[in-house]
């Protein structure tokens, strides 16, 4: 855990030092759980959004995109259930005056018990070596069994309390488990109460409740209310999907873990409209399809896992998370939800407008079911950065070893695709040749020209921002129009004619690489 903490701190520091992420309004000591993306951060985030959009919209004939407004008619949130049910249970510690999510306190407790199990397994693996059978150990070791039972019992009680909105039951669980305030160690808790997570603001010309507007807590509702507009104008037949990328806002009580839980964040959501009764088929399809999308980026299978929801949201009849092993453990990265006809039905009821699909095959009209995939861009950013940032030892010319921080991002999503560097900054001939190459390449990619340091320092800087290729212009370049291309991960350098640089880089950074 201590090692994980160090890694996480290093990642946060790296994000700031190299212009990926800054605390919002930092000169005023920052605003909790709100962040700004810097020059490299915005490029990486845009590339991740582009990868998602292409995979969902461009690669699926039956998925189209929209960009709905953040503000929606207030009745939207009544129909969706967010006014009444989009709550988190909060609890205050009377001594430290700190506020927590009651369910998160219990989940953290469960994580600690799981930590004990993992410790036993690590110890046993060391002891038994290659012959270690984890499944057998889990099913026979008395300490593991006891802790597993404890975890399961607590998780079940938590799920029941959450789904029944039993705030007293939740408080009892915290008291029984003797959970202490992480800040002060005190067990002096208030009662648990519900807290609505929506931010609200006021429409200019209408005072009071009537003019109350909400900042959308999910982008999905902009899709639901446009379902018929899109279906009719694009003549889509079921099954078909609508995708959207946009900001969402939640007044999160627990703001921690950097950009994992933010108050203003971005979602990439897709609602797939289907025939009722086919939802489990599509649920399984989207589970597998989305997992493949993550793996294609280079995220290994062992860092990703499915986690079925114990506690279903008010709109879902099945739900699973794709969890990622962040530096602070496995946590939700993406949700796949079978939302039934809950949303369309509710909007139909409250608006009095029909939201039905006429099925030409069965000659029937019905409200479609919906299968949703929903991923936070910011969480995807964090997952990608945390996997990519590596500290490694490298051997330079002359056999000297040193360490470098390198962001091993897939070339297709790297903020800068190629950097053009003159070997010596004070040599007019090298500088002008390098600028000439840079001015050509910039038509094709996001590139950088840099002559602000020694070549070793320039390479390290490009490694730290994840640039997959560095082109170095040296004296030989002036004679024979060749340059060296240095590959970020293998550190291999190859001499190539200048006119070939564009096509070499293009092939490697093409987003097509992620789809084939
Ligand atoms: N439309 C369904 C929906 O909004 P959700 O599980 O509440 O479902 C979907 O959110 C995804 O949005 C999550 O898997 C997560 O990646 C991201 N997300 C949710 N709350 C977030 C927050 N406060 N900060 C950053 N990302 C968040």
């Amino acid at each position: 855990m201590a090692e994980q903490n160090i890694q996480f701190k290093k990642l946060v520091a790296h994000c700031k030092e190299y212009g990926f992420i800054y605390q919002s309004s930092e000169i005023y000591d920052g605003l909790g759980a709100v962040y700004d993306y810097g020059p490299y951060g915005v490029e990486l985030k845009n590339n991740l959004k582009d990868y998602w959009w292409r995979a969902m919209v461009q690669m699926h004939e039956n998925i189209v995109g929209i960009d709905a407004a953040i503000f929606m008619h207030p009745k939207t949130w009544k129909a969706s259930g967010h006014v009444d049910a989009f709550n988190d249970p909060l609890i205050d510690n009377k001594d430290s005056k700190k506020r927590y999510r009651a369910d998160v306190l219990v989940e953290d407790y469960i994580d600690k018990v799981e930590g004990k199990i993992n410790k036993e397994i690590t110890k046993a693996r060391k002891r038994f070596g290659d012959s270690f059978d984890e499944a057998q150990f889990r099913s026979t070791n008395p300490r593991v069994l006891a802790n597993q039972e404890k975890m399961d019992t607590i998780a079940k009680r938590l799920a029941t309390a959450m789904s029944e909105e039993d705030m007293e039951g939740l408080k009892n669980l915290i008291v029984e488990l003797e959970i202490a305030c992480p800040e002060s160690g005190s067990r002096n808790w208030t009662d648990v109460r519900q807290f609505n997570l929506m931010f609200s603001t006021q429409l200019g010309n209408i005072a009071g409740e009537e003019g109350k507007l909400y900042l959308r807590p999910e982008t999905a509702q902009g899709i639901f209310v446009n379902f018929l507009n899109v279906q009719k104008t694009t003549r889509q037949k079921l099954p078909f999907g609508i995708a959207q990328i946009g900001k969402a806002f939640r007044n999160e009580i627990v703001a921690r873990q950097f950009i994992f839980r933010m108050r203003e964040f971005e979602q990439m959501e897709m609602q797939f409209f289907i025939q009722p009764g086919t939802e489990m088929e599509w649920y399984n399809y989207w589970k597998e399809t989305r997992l493949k999308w993550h793996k294609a980026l280079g995220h290994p299978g062992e860092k990703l896992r499915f986690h079925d929801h114990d506690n279903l949201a008010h709109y879902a009849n099945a739900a699973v998370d794709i969890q990622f092993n962040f530096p602070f453990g496995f946590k939700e990265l993406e949700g796949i939800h079978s939302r039934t006809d809950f949303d369309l039905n509710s909007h139909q009821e409250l608006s009095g407008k029909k939201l039905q699909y006429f099925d030409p095959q069965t000659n029937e009209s019905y409200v479609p079911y919906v299968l949703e995939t929903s991923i936070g861009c910011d969480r995807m950013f964090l997952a990608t950065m945390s996997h990519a940032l590596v500290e490694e030892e490298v051997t330079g010319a002359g056999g000297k070893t040193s360490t470098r921080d390198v962001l091993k991002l897939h070339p297709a999503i790297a903020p800068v695709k190629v950097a053009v560097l003159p070997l010596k900054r004070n040599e007019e001939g090298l500088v002008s040749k390098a600028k000439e190459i840079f001015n050509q390449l910039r038509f094709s990619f996001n590139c950088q020209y840099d002559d602000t340091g020694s070549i070793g320092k320039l390479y390290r800087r490009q490694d730290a921002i994840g640039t997959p290729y560095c082109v170095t212009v040296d004296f030989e370049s002036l004679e024979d129009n060749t340059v060296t291309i240095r590959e970020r991960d293998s550190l291999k350098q190859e001499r190539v004619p200048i006119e070939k640089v564009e096509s070499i880089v293009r092939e490697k950074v093409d987003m097509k690489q992620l789809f084939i």
Side-chain angles (χ1 to χ4, degrees):
M1 196 48 104
E3 173 62 23
Q4 284 182 328
N5 272 341
I6 294 169
Q7 256 184 34
F8 188 40
K9 278 193 182 142
K10 187 170 171 173
L11 176 69
V12 175
H14 192 94
C15 281
K16 178 165 183 206
E17 188 181 345
Y18 288 96
F20 283 88
I21 297 177
Y22 314 120
Q23 173 78 60
S24 159
S25 333
E26 200 185 55
I27 59 166
Y28 295 105
D29 296 333
L31 183 64
V34 186
Y35 291 90
D36 299 335
Y37 283 80
Y40 299 114
V42 69
E43 295 288 346
L44 174 57
K45 194 180 184 202
N46 282 342
N47 292 340
L48 287 170
K49 290 196 271 188
D50 192 25
Y51 172 42
W52 183 86
W53 191 265
R54 286 184 196 220
M56 301 302 269
V57 179
Q58 190 174 320
M59 301 301 285
H60 285 93
E61 282 168 57
N62 59 348
I63 299 183
V64 291
I66 64 164
D67 182 14
I70 287 171
F71 288 139
M72 300 184 69
H73 193 287
K75 279 189 182 170
T76 309
W77 307 110
K78 187 73 193 158
S80 68
H82 284 84
V83 172
D84 297 319
F86 195 53
N87 301 316
D88 272 347
L90 71 81
I91 190 166
D92 292 288
N93 186 275
K94 292 182 194 165
D95 298 324
S96 68
K97 310 274 182 259
K98 291 276 170 196
R99 180 165 286 176
Y100 299 94
R101 259 177 66 177
D103 56 330
V104 171
L105 285 177
V106 178
E107 276 167 9
D108 286 350
Y109 184 93
I110 295 173
D111 284 349
K112 275 189 197 145
V113 182
E114 191 177 18
K116 284 184 189 166
I117 296 178
N118 290 338
K119 238 183 187 170
E120 294 281 355
I121 291 171
T122 312
K123 262 194 335 207
R125 180 168 284 121
K126 265 194 197 147
R127 200 166 353 119
F128 295 113
D130 286 345
S131 62
F132 180 62
D133 179 343
E134 185 178 326
Q136 195 202 9
F137 185 75
R138 276 182 184 274
S139 61
T140 52
N141 180 279
R143 278 187 303 273
V144 170
L145 284 172
N147 276 325
Q148 188 61 51
E149 196 188 334
K150 190 173 178 184
M151 265 173 71
D152 293 345
T153 312
I154 301 169
K156 210 166 158 198
R157 281 184 64 189
L158 174 64
T160 310
M162 291 296 286
S163 61
E164 291 173 2
E165 297 191 23
D166 174 11
M167 297 302 106
E168 206 182 316
L170 207 45
K171 163 92 187 260
N172 290 343
L173 197 52
I174 288 171
V175 173
E176 271 175 48
L177 296 174
E178 299 185 355
I179 294 176
C181 167
E183 193 92 355
S184 63
S186 146
R187 296 190 176 87
N188 192 8
W189 297 109
T190 62
D191 285 341
V192 180
R193 57 206 183 282
Q194 294 282 34
F195 174 79
N196 193 284
L197 295 184
M198 282 197 292
F199 281 104
S200 66
T201 184
Q202 203 67 27
L203 198 65
N205 54 351
I206 308 173
E209 263 310 291
E210 247 181 84
K212 192 170 178 183
L213 280 190
Y214 294 102
L215 273 73
R216 67 180 177 199
E218 61 170 9
T219 60
Q221 298 304 323
I223 294 179
F224 289 124
V225 299
N226 276 301
F227 156 69
L228 266 194
N229 281 339
V230 174
Q231 193 268 320
K232 286 190 172 151
T233 49
T234 58
R235 299 181 310 283
Q236 289 284 349
K237 293 198 172 50
L238 253 53
F240 82 95
I242 305 179
Q244 173 168 223
I245 299 178
K247 290 263 181 170
F249 304 83
R250 295 183 189 178
N251 199 357
E252 298 283 359
I253 302 159
V254 184
R256 57 175 188 182
Q257 291 158 336
F258 195 35
I259 56 169
F260 181 80
R261 198 175 298 287
M262 300 160 88
R263 297 198 165 106
E264 172 181 339
F265 57 101
E266 228 170 336
Q267 287 186 315
M268 307 191 278
E269 298 204 296
M270 192 278 301
Q271 312 295 321
F272 201 63
F273 298 91
I274 53 175
Q275 224 180 27
T278 62
E279 65 267 29
M280 288 325 286
E281 183 192 315
W282 287 112
Y283 182 66
N284 291 327
Y285 169 83
W286 282 110
K287 270 175 75 173
E288 294 314 317
T289 305
R290 293 301 305 147
L291 190 65
K292 259 195 217 154
W293 182 88
H294 288 281
K295 286 186 179 167
L297 210 51
H299 293 166
E302 62 273 17
K303 282 213 165 177
L304 294 156
R305 72 180 186 194
F306 287 123
H307 176 79
D308 289 320
H309 282 208
D310 301 316
N311 176 31
L312 288 178
H314 58 275
Y315 49 72
N317 71 352
V320 66
D321 290 337
I322 295 179
Q323 292 189 332
F324 183 82
N325 196 3
F326 288 96
F328 37 83
F330 271 101
K331 297 275 173 209
E332 173 185 351
L333 169 60
E334 170 158 10
I336 294 152
H337 312 125
S338 169
R339 292 183 79 130
T340 67
D341 54 0
F342 173 86
D343 302 85
L344 289 180
N345 257 337
S346 306
H347 287 304
Q348 190 170 250
E349 243 167 64
L350 205 61
S351 67
K353 309 271 175 12
K354 275 206 167 144
L355 290 174
Q356 295 190 343
Y357 170 75
F358 175 73
D359 193 329
Q361 273 174 340
T362 59
N363 271 342
E364 277 176 327
S365 288
Y366 53 83
V367 176
Y369 268 34
V370 172
L371 215 291
E372 168 184 72
T373 71
S374 174
I375 175 168
C377 299
D378 313 275
R379 274 192 202 174
M380 187 60 202
F381 187 101
L382 185 58
T384 305
M385 285 290 283
S386 71
H387 177 63
L389 184 59
V390 177
E391 184 184 299
E392 66 181 17
E393 215 162 75
V394 286
T395 311
K400 220 175 128 197
T401 58
S402 59
T403 55
R404 67 165 183 164
D405 288 330
V406 52
L407 260 189
K408 295 192 169 179
L409 297 167
H410 191 290
I413 58 161
V416 175
K417 306 300 188 209
V418 53
V420 185
L421 316 168
L423 186 65
K424 293 218 160 105
R425 62 174 149 163
N426 296 326
E427 291 287 341
E428 182 47 38
L430 296 185
V431 167
S432 70
K433 188 81 183 166
K435 283 190 176 162
E436 191 186 308
I437 298 170
F438 166 71
N439 281 324
Q440 274 306 311
L441 289 177
R442 71 201 301 191
F443 284 104
S444 308
F445 323 105
N446 196 20
C447 352
Q448 235 177 35
Y449 168 84
D450 196 358
D451 65 5
T452 55
S454 68
I455 194 73
K457 276 206 177 119
L458 299 183
Y459 283 152
R460 289 291 175 273
R461 188 167 169 82
Q462 294 301 329
D463 288 344
I465 61 168
T467 307
Y469 298 99
C470 287
V471 166
T472 308
V473 178
D474 55 20
F475 293 105
E476 218 177 308
S477 312
L478 304 182
E479 281 161 24
D480 63 3
N481 269 331
T482 61
V483 283
T484 58
I485 289 198
R486 169 191 183 263
E487 205 266 330
R488 179 196 65 203
D489 299 348
S490 66
L491 294 174
K492 263 201 211 137
Q493 300 207 18
E494 206 189 332
R495 194 134 208 121
V496 299
I498 291 171
E499 77 259 19
K500 289 213 168 140
V501 171
E502 203 265 0
S503 64
I504 293 171
V505 177
R506 178 182 293 284
E507 200 208 319
K508 299 282 197 282
V509 305
D510 195 333
M511 209 162 268
K512 206 161 66 180
Q513 302 292 345
L514 291 166
F515 299 115
I516 49 180

